[in-house]
Amino acid sequence: MSLAVISYPKFIPNEGGLIPVTRAIYPKLTYPKFESHFTFVFPQASVSAEVLTQYVQAVAMTQTRIPFVIRRAEAMRDSLSANTYLFFVPDEGYEAVIQLHDGLYTGVLAAELRADILFIPHITIGYTADNDYCQQVAAELNAKNFEVRGTIDRLDVVQLEGDSGKTVAQIGLR
């Protein structure tokens, strides 16, 4: 069992729908098991759910809600597998997401930070072992000048087991 900290953003009406539509248009991508989300703390097992929840509550009290606007797709090779991921990356809100991520990787989570992997704020659209296909999809999407707006207003502590997960705590940002 491992725990992660994610945020299911609140999308501006009709804009979050672009994500499932994009997934349907590009069926060669494998899709995440979870609803569209930003990951702030990647799966870890060194801290208990109770300790992590208390810690996230303390950090969240210092953080304001994060409005974001996504206008670009990026294909990113995974350094830990043969896959390339298709991300929706925010233009607006990018730095605030990084600051919250970095703030969470202090204190009890400091030893969990993977300094060898660059953190890029994103919502995963899907992934494939075909890097060229993923690059092509990103280029096609970027040519459409799309826009997805929303707000990150809470963090979910999620317990992961196999391919499923359940929220054990929801913590609002101030």
Side-chain angles (χ1 to χ4, degrees), residues 113-124:
L113 178 62
R114 294 285 310 263
D116 59 323
I117 300 174
L118 177 65
F119 175 70
I120 297 173
H122 68 275
I123 294 174
T124 301

Side-chain angles (χ1 to χ4, degrees), residues 72-76 85-89 120 134 138 142:
R72 64 187 161 117
E74 287 190 26
M76 301 293 296
Y85 281 78
L86 181 66
F87 293 160
F88 274 4
V89 179
I120 297 173
C134 210
N142 289 330

Side-chain angles (χ1 to χ4, degrees), residues 28-137:
K28 286 176 64 177
L29 295 174
T30 301
Y31 309 110
K33 306 280 190 249
F34 295 90
E35 290 179 46
S36 300
H37 65 277
F38 288 91
T39 302
F40 286 91
V41 174
F42 292 88
Q44 60 79 41
S46 66
V47 178
S48 71
E50 182 179 331
V51 169
L52 183 58
T53 298
Q54 290 173 353
Y55 178 69
V56 172
Q57 287 171 334
V59 173
M61 288 180 6
T62 69
Q63 302 292 317
T64 59
R65 296 172 179 190
I66 303 171
F68 65 86
V69 181
I70 295 170
R71 295 185 185 98
R72 64 187 161 117
E74 287 190 26
M76 301 293 296
R77 282 189 185 246
D78 183 9
S79 62
L80 303 175
S81 75
N83 293 322
T84 298
Y85 281 78
L86 181 66
F87 293 160
F88 274 4
V89 179
D91 296 301
E92 297 173 32
Y94 186 90
E95 291 299 324
V97 172
I98 289 175
Q99 288 174 352
L100 179 52
H101 165 269
D102 291 353
L104 287 164
Y105 275 107
T106 61
V108 299
L109 292 174
E112 297 299 318
L113 178 62
R114 294 285 310 263
D116 59 323
I117 300 174
L118 177 65
F119 175 70
I120 297 173
H122 68 275
I123 294 174
T124 301
I125 301 304
Y127 62 91
T128 179
D130 186 343
N131 178 61
D132 292 339
Y133 178 74
C134 210
Q135 295 288 346
Q136 173 192 338
V137 171

